Amino acid sequence: MSLSWIVLGQLESNESMSTSKKVITREEWERKLRDVKIKKEFMNKLVMNFLVTEGYVEAAEKFRIESGTEPDIDLATITDRMAVKKAVQSGNVQDAIEKVNDLNPEILDTNPQLYFHLQQQKLIELIRLGKVEEALEFAQDELAPRGEENQSFLEELERTVALLAFEDVKNCPYGELLDVSQRLKTASEVNAAILTSQSHEKDPKLPSLLKMLIWAQNQLDEKAIYPRINNLSTAMLEDPAI
Amino acid sequence: MSSQEAAVAAATPGLVDPMRLAARWRSAAEWRKVDEELDGEPEPSHLNTINSSGLFHIVSTDKLSVQYVGIHKHGHDVGTVQANCPAPTKRFAYYFEMTVKDAGVKGQVAIGFTTEHFKMRRQPGWEVNSFGYHGDDGYLYQGQGKGEIFGPKFTTGDVVGAGIIYASQKLFFTKNGTVVGTVSVSKDVKGPLYPTVAVHSPNEEVTVNFGKQPFEFELENFINEERKKQLAVVENQFLPPHLSHWIVRSYLLHYGYEDTLASLDIATESNPSLTKRTTVDEQTNMYALNHRKVLRQLIRNGDIDTAFQKLREWYPQVVQDEMSVICFLLHSQRFIEYIRAGHLEEAVMYGRAELARYFAVKAFANLLEDIAALLAYNEPAESCVSYLLEPPQREFVADAVNASVLSTNPNSTDSESCMYSTLEKLVRQLTVCTLDWRTLSGGQGEAFYLHRELRSRGGVKRSSAYSD
């Protein structure tokens, strides 16, 4: 039996394994990519939506000038929103609450969970500063009544108050509440609530679109072998793995 | 690819072909046409009066009502009628309704879907490849004469509906505005599904609504809820942290939006995970950043003379060949700017001196014709070529210049990267993935189009307006 026979046999078996999937060559795929019609202004809008939702107000203003893209929200409201976010991030929770109420009192009125989390954050900040008496008073007067209304609030309140039982709070089991990440979490919750109150989506569109790409490629994998983009940050087209 | 674009591609074999960006400078009207044609499919509008059961029913002259005129002796004298065409498939969902005008003697009215060669003397659902929700028992029939318990019965005065959700391959049925049940479409069902209604005893009469009248059922709310279920799966995909940020940054670098980039970098300075990361990719994109920004500003402001002068000074190789695409686009834009300023005589002089030579190039013919046409109108801004005077045209020329400058980078590896930003490559990939997936899935479902995605904003608003 000659060698070429063996090679041929292998080829055949490879082929039968992949017959269920359509093979799309790189050339064919690139032609399809070129045929997609995309208007530049829509990509600009996507970028503007990102800058605005993430709160990059100066960048959004510059982008409006440089690209002529109109933002989908009044840029002045971003400044207010970012001021609230910044206040929470730097621990000035009372300041943040007042700013939210200046923006729109309905936000906290209609969102008891958010209001509770802000109060909880305020308590955390008091504990961080070692103001034990003030913290206890605040917890009893402001937070305990809310805990009675809602089981999950109560549990969170208990966890927070427990911080007071430890001298070395940083290393206690609830120490993570004192972490920056807790501030960021609360800040992003307020941020989302303000955006929703301005009938704007709370998340930018771009991350969803990127997730959609990952999902769409996985879906297509079941039916075809085609040039994928594995590294989204370079958008490099891989050769189809046949 | 249009014949124009094909001609362009053939005519300019160079490294970068800015004319390939041309799909962008379509006029607003042209773009609307493109948008309408995307996934445009015939939609059912009336009942089919040709493919008929024969003697057992009559269809009204408006082709929207059907009445039983047989005697009903057995199971092969049903009056079944299909819509004039199958349900469109290149979308998220399809839905239609019927009103039972008269349940007749036995109330054996039905609504459902059937395939092309369905026997019109049988109830939808009784035969393979068909589905029917029947009024006399409220059962669902799928592919056989025996039904299964499904929903309430329906009779005179009731409005029932039938729909398909392509993404989840489900059929759903409604009665008086409420979903009564859903059923998965078996994989064996081949071929397009026709909206179908049936009458089967004396005096039975139904009227169909293919969407010309408002539906009893809140279809939009339902679709939004179903869409959310699909999106939940998508949202679960893992994304590397801050990927969006880097992609936006690289977009700003690619197009030379330098001021925006600087502002963004200042805003993220304090965030350690977002501080500058210099990959090879970014270094390539940094190339000639300030020059590209200046050139874009000049073109956006209509100062083509200075842009030309700067290009000659900084990147002579780009404008060396007078017959190149980039020279053609810049001269064209200069001409347009004369028109915009109302300097018609200068425009004519400039056109003779600088544009006449391009008439020999077939690839430029279309744009040239449009540009020349500007002279024909008293009010060019109101004419059919007014798109040339709109900001996107300047942006298009600026993008073309940007791509050409990027191509002079000795470290630039491929022309695709001069043409397209990372963001654009990803959007193109996503679009093609969804289109190909649909092609391989019997042409069913929604494809991704960026402009539709952006337009849908606000469409998913919470609505409390449910009718009782």
Side-chain angles (χ1 to χ4, degrees):
Chain A
M1 193 202 242
S2 75
L3 189 65
S4 63
W5 271 105
I6 301 169
V7 174
L8 203 64
Q10 277 174 347
L11 275 178
E12 267 168 6
S13 71
N14 280 347
E15 207 169 297
S16 65
M17 274 168 67
S18 58
T19 41
S20 56
K21 288 192 188 181
K22 192 182 178 219
V23 178
I24 307 169
T25 64
R26 191 181 177 104
E27 197 186 2
E28 198 183 338
W29 189 258
E30 283 178 341
R31 185 181 50 75
K32 289 174 190 224
L33 289 174
R34 272 200 298 276
D35 282 356
V36 175
K37 293 189 169 46
I38 297 173
K39 254 187 158 180
K40 171 84 183 299
E41 57 184 280
F42 289 110
M43 291 193 292
N44 281 346
K45 274 188 184 170
L46 195 60
V47 168
M48 181 57 102
N49 170 276
F50 177 83
L51 297 175
V52 162
T53 315
E54 293 286 308
Y56 299 123
V57 61
E58 281 95 9
E61 186 57 49
K62 287 279 167 22
F63 192 58
R64 190 216 315 244
I65 298 165
E66 284 192 303
S67 74
T69 310
E70 283 306 315
D72 53 5
I73 198 167
D74 180 4
L75 288 182
T77 65
I78 306 182
T79 316
D80 297 335
R81 175 161 58 89
M82 295 321 281
V84 174
K85 203 174 164 186
K86 208 169 177 187
V88 179
Q89 280 169 353
S90 52
N92 300 322
V93 183
Q94 189 54 41
D95 186 29
I97 293 174
E98 280 161 22
K99 284 194 161 84
V100 174
N101 282 333
D102 285 349
L103 260 174
N104 180 356
E106 266 184 36
I107 296 172
L108 293 180
D109 281 352
T110 54
N111 209 332
Q113 179 163 332
L114 172 65
Y115 188 56
F116 177 82
H117 283 152
L118 279 167
Q119 298 283 54
Q120 182 194 18
Q121 190 66 44
K122 195 171 159 186
L123 177 61
I124 293 168
E125 301 303 339
L126 288 172
I127 295 169
R128 192 197 313 275
L129 295 170
K131 296 183 177 170
V132 178
E133 264 177 54
E134 210 180 314
L136 275 174
E137 201 180 317
F138 182 70
Q140 286 162 4
D141 291 355
E142 299 290 333
L143 286 165
R146 289 175 182 273
E148 281 165 22
E149 293 160 17
N150 184 312
Q151 183 60 31
S152 73
F153 288 178
L154 186 63
E155 280 164 26
E156 286 187 65
L157 174 60
E158 284 169 358
R159 255 163 33 97
T160 315
V161 175
L163 288 171
L164 288 166
F166 298 88
E167 211 164 318
D168 180 13
V169 281
K170 289 247 159 78
N171 293 315
C172 85
Y174 309 111
E176 81 223 20
L177 287 172
L178 290 164
D179 216 59
V180 183
S181 64
Q182 180 70 23
R183 279 183 176 175
L184 294 179
K185 208 171 110 190
T186 311
S188 94
E189 201 183 330
V190 191
N191 186 48
I194 299 173
L195 278 168
T196 307
S197 78
Q198 294 164 343
S199 47
H200 194 278
E201 286 154 331
K202 61 183 169 47
D203 299 309
K205 283 178 183 294
L206 182 56
S208 303
L209 188 146
L210 299 174
K211 286 179 180 175
M212 218 183 284
L213 172 58
I214 296 172
W215 179 77
Q217 290 197 130
N218 291 344
Q219 292 283 104
L220 189 57
D221 280 342
E222 288 168 22
K223 295 180 185 281
I225 295 166
Y226 64 97
R228 284 176 61 96
I229 290 180
N230 292 333
N231 183 346
L232 267 59
S233 62
T234 60
M236 193 153 65
L237 211 54
E238 310 283 336
D239 283 319
I242 303 170
Chain B
M1 197 185 282
S2 70
S3 57
Q4 178 197 354
E5 284 165 56
V8 170
T12 47
L15 179 64
V16 166
D17 171 16
M19 285 296 267
R20 248 175 48 201
L21 304 169
R24 288 182 191 147
W25 50 259
R26 276 161 207 276
S27 62
E30 261 182 286
W31 183 262
R32 260 197 302 281
K33 206 169 137 241
V34 167
D35 183 34
E36 277 162 20
E37 280 167 8
L38 282 177
D39 299 344
E41 291 174 277
E43 277 188 52
S45 58
H46 57 267
L47 294 168
N48 185 340
T49 48
I50 297 157
N51 184 10
S52 156
S53 66
L55 303 168
F56 309 114
H57 70 263
I58 47 167
V59 171
S60 62
T61 44
D62 65 0
K63 297 187 183 178
L64 292 174
S65 290
V66 56
Q67 192 179 12
Y68 193 75
V69 294
I71 301 163
H72 181 181
K73 291 181 186 147
H74 44 72
H76 286 269
D77 51 10
V78 184
T80 293
V81 198
Q82 292 180 326
N84 62 313
C85 70
T89 59
K90 291 176 173 180
R91 52 175 67 190
F92 189 81
Y94 176 78
Y95 178 76
F96 77 105
E97 282 181 350
M98 82 174 188
T99 304
V100 183
K101 288 280 172 203
D102 192 332
V105 176
K106 294 191 167 171
Q108 291 177 336
V109 288
I111 185 167
F113 290 98
T114 56
T115 48
E116 190 180 0
H117 298 294
F118 186 76
K119 294 179 198 148
M120 295 300 159
R121 297 180 178 194
R122 298 283 285 163
Q123 281 278 12
W126 283 359
E127 301 287 323
V128 288
N129 287 341
S130 73
F131 301 84
Y133 172 33
H134 291 197
D136 57 342
D137 53 13
Y139 284 13
L140 181 86
Y141 292 76
Q142 45 173 331
Q144 52 179 329
K146 195 175 166 300
E148 51 208 273
I149 297 170
F150 187 65
K153 298 174 186 177
F154 53 88
T155 183
T156 309
D158 285 330
V159 178
V160 288
I164 315 169
I165 306 161
Y166 291 111
S168 51
Q169 292 286 298
K170 277 192 307 194
L171 297 184
F172 64 99
F173 293 89
T174 67
K175 180 188 168 186
N176 297 330
T178 313
V179 176
V180 298
T182 60
V183 56
S184 290
V185 184
S186 109
K187 284 206 161 56
D188 315 327
V189 176
K190 293 269 182 288
L193 290 172
Y194 286 74
T196 306
V197 295
V199 283
H200 194 196
S201 78
N203 298 331
E204 283 179 15
E205 187 184 355
V206 299
T207 301
V208 290
N209 175 13
F210 291 122
K212 241 185 190 157
Q213 307 298 323
F215 289 129
E216 189 75 16
F217 178 58
E218 295 266 358
L219 182 61
E220 218 157 295
N221 286 342
F222 179 73
I223 287 178
N224 285 343
E225 288 305 313
E226 288 296 315
R227 221 189 272 274
K228 265 187 219 160
K229 286 183 204 164
Q230 302 290 320
L231 279 177
V233 183
V234 173
E235 284 299 322
N236 279 336
Q237 304 296 319
F238 172 77
L239 223 50
H242 310 302
L243 182 62
S244 301
H245 179 87
W246 297 118
I247 288 171
V248 164
R249 228 183 149 262
S250 112
Y251 183 86
L252 301 174
L253 276 167
H254 176 88
Y255 282 113
Y257 296 125
E258 194 184 16
D259 296 346
T260 311
L261 182 75
S263 285
L264 181 63
D265 282 348
I266 290 169
T268 51
E269 229 168 24
S270 56
N271 190 337
S273 51
L274 290 179
T275 41
K276 272 184 208 166
R277 173 189 75 157
T278 32
T279 60
V280 180
D281 197 42
E282 291 218 333
Q283 272 167 1
T284 317
N285 273 333
M286 286 290 287
Y287 176 78
L289 181 58
N290 186 257
H291 283 172
R292 290 188 287 121
K293 167 195 148 175
V294 171
L295 288 165
R296 177 176 297 276
Q297 274 177 349
L298 289 169
I299 296 166
R300 280 184 54 86
N301 294 334
D303 189 353
I304 307 301
D305 291 337
T306 315
F308 237 131
Q309 184 200 321
K310 294 282 177 204
L311 270 172
R312 284 197 190 99
E313 184 184 325
W314 294 333
Y315 307 100
Q317 66 270 49
V318 167
V319 284
Q320 203 170 21
D321 178 6
E322 267 292 319
M323 293 310 286
S324 67
V325 182
I326 211 71
C327 287
F328 165 64
L329 288 176
L330 283 165
H331 285 307
S332 305
Q333 194 60 33
R334 184 66 194 95
F335 178 86
I336 292 169
E337 299 302 341
Y338 275 125
I339 300 275
R340 190 194 313 274
H343 301 154
L344 295 189
E345 259 175 62
E346 284 94 332
V348 171
M349 303 271 279
Y350 191 84
R352 282 181 193 161
E354 301 291 355
L355 285 177
R357 72 178 89 98
Y358 297 111
F359 275 100
V361 184
K362 215 175 147 199
F364 301 155
N366 282 10
L367 184 54
L368 262 181
E369 273 172 30
D370 279 7
I371 287 166
L374 283 170
L375 285 171
Y377 297 96
N378 251 339
E379 299 274 354
E382 309 292 320
S383 72
C384 62
V385 287
S386 62
Y387 76 94
L388 292 169
L389 297 168
E390 285 163 17
Q393 178 67 15
R394 283 177 174 173
E395 182 99 347
F396 159 62
V397 175
D399 289 345
V401 168
N402 185 67
S404 304
V405 173
L406 279 176
S407 76
T408 64
N409 183 357
N411 296 324
S412 144
T413 44
D414 64 323
S415 64
E416 294 292 309
S417 292
C418 302
M419 300 278 299
Y420 304 136
S421 63
T422 303
L423 177 64
E424 177 158 4
K425 287 181 193 165
L426 297 175
V427 172
R428 284 176 187 272
Q429 180 84 357
L430 172 55
T431 309
V432 174
C433 278
T434 59
L435 283 170
D436 268 40
W437 187 84
R438 181 170 72 189
T439 307
L440 296 171
S441 311
Q444 296 185 352
E446 236 176 352
F448 175 91
Y449 298 111
L450 182 62
H451 63 287
R452 290 192 183 167
E453 198 67 19
L454 288 164
R455 203 170 43 196
S456 73
R457 200 184 80 83
V460 196
K461 262 186 195 153
R462 268 172 288 158
S463 165
S464 53
Y466 288 96
S467 55
D468 299 304

